[in-house]
Amino acid sequence: MKGLIKKALRKAGKYMFPSANHPARDETSLMLQGKQLAHLKSAFVKDSTGLFDFEFKVFSQWGEDGIIEWLVEQLSPLPQIFIEFGVEDYTESNTRFLLMNRNWRGLVIDGSPDAIAKVRRSELHWRHDLTAHASFITRDNIDRIFEEHGFSGEIGLLSVDIDGNDYWVWEAIKSVNPGIVVCEYCAHFGDIHAVSVPYKEDFTRHAGHYSGQYFGASLKAFISLANRKGYTFLGTNASGINAFFVRNDLIPRLGDKQPPVKSFPMRASDTRDEQGTLTFIHGPAKADLMRHLPIVDVETGKQTTLGELGYLYSDEWVKLMRGDLP
């Protein structure tokens, strides 16, 4: 019976909410459904097999809303402050449900002035304590941006998603001490090697390679960085997009509710050809497109290429890419 309930809740979390871009969506209804599903998952998913059991989508892209809501509830009390960068116009984001459901204070940053102007024109900007800032983020300006807007010290959550220098930017952050960190990882780099694109101040995803798949860092690179910064890796979402970390001193609050650590490769495909047309390439073939490009082993500092690293995926990830059950 418990297994059936878990399957039903997981399916509900994926399919009960319309697209964030649907013109007719009712945000009040979405919020109520999100609250209800959060309570249901907290009540019934006691023997979870991974963080993905708690997924549901209200405003996030891949179910992160549910995971974040569960973590915040279990780790409470946390400072009711978040920072998220790489938000575009904040229509689809990791912290919007947190802002609206729990009324946290937050800072959102994006490199597009037009996107941030849209955030500032929205009701969110006056209904909540939300600061929206336009800036192209580098490892040299990130702390200054936080401090100039009054964000420093203890915060509840940091979400990192800039499709580029993500590893190097998180490494550089010293001004805030988040309880929870959410990072988008590049699953195409595999789960065996701790690697990142080399730091380049003006790096952008599609300028890095026409496919749009050469960006960020591998999951193992973020786990290595998290360990050095004093964080524990709890797992990823089922879509193989975001990894979740909790500061070591907060881990005891999870007690026996801490789920088994489970990570996933990415199944979605937004790979493009040189004309910008979607090609829908899946699995290891994505990495084959980039085997000649430079990559940095973040643990040794050595620059190499994906091709020189050899095989990139563990047996477990290979099984998952084939569609075997988690």
Side-chain angles (χ1 to χ4, degrees), residues 8-19 25-26 29-38 40-41 55-58:
L9 288 172
R10 194 182 303 171
K11 185 175 289 187
K14 289 182 178 179
Y15 300 116
M16 75 182 292
F17 301 112
S19 165
R25 75 177 177 180
D26 180 343
S29 176
L30 287 176
M31 290 295 298
L32 288 172
Q33 291 178 74
K35 288 173 179 285
Q36 291 169 347
L37 194 52
L40 284 171
K41 292 208 170 201
E55 289 185 14
F56 64 76
K57 166 188 169 69
V58 182

Side-chain angles (χ1 to χ4, degrees), residues 130-142:
L130 179 66
T131 302
H133 175 73
S135 181
F136 189 88
I137 291 171
T138 71
R139 63 184 179 187
D140 296 316
N141 70 11
I142 189 66

